[in-house]
């Protein structure tokens, strides 16, 4: 089993929601594949997708992104 820390993954995602600009400092080094939890990876991937399209990352845009890709349920709703 690969070492992992789900709370750390959640902290990263929460930090991006609290301060969306912090994703610019980590997105070049942190990839969705680095997440152990597939739900967390899917959420992060959606966040990166928003940033790449110059869409602000917040709960509304994130939920919309996940719904548009039919992934909201797969990441926990």
């Amino acid at each position: 089993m690969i070492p992992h820390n789900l709370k750390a993954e959640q902290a990263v995602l929460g930090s991006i929601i609290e301060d969306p600009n912090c994703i610019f400092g980590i997105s070049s080094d942190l990839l969705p594949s680095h997440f152990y939890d597939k739900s967390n990876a899917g959420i992060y991937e959606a966040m990166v997708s928003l940033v790449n399209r110059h869409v602000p990352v917040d709960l509304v845009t994130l939920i919309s992104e996940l719904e548009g890709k039919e992934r909201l349920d797969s990441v926990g709703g």
Side-chain angles (χ1 to χ4, degrees):
M1 175 169 258
I2 299 172
H4 63 280
N5 186 325
L6 297 179
K7 289 187 185 223
E9 290 183 8
Q10 293 167 346
V12 169
L13 300 175
S15 295
I16 295 168
I17 291 295
E18 286 292 318
D19 179 11
N21 290 324
C22 76
I23 198 168
F24 296 112
I26 62 172
S27 62
S28 62
D29 296 318
L30 182 63
L31 304 174
S33 62
H34 292 148
F35 285 82
Y36 176 81
D37 185 87
K38 298 296 183 207
S39 295
N40 292 339
I43 293 168
Y44 181 71
E45 184 177 14
M47 291 174 162
V48 171
S49 177
L50 289 169
V51 167
N52 287 341
R53 294 190 333 265
H54 306 286
V55 176
V57 177
D58 58 40
L59 288 177
V60 173
T61 59
L62 181 57
I63 290 170
S64 178
E65 178 76 6
L66 290 166
E67 285 176 336
K69 293 182 176 184
E70 298 181 0
R71 296 187 69 194
L72 185 61
D73 288 335
S74 70
V75 299

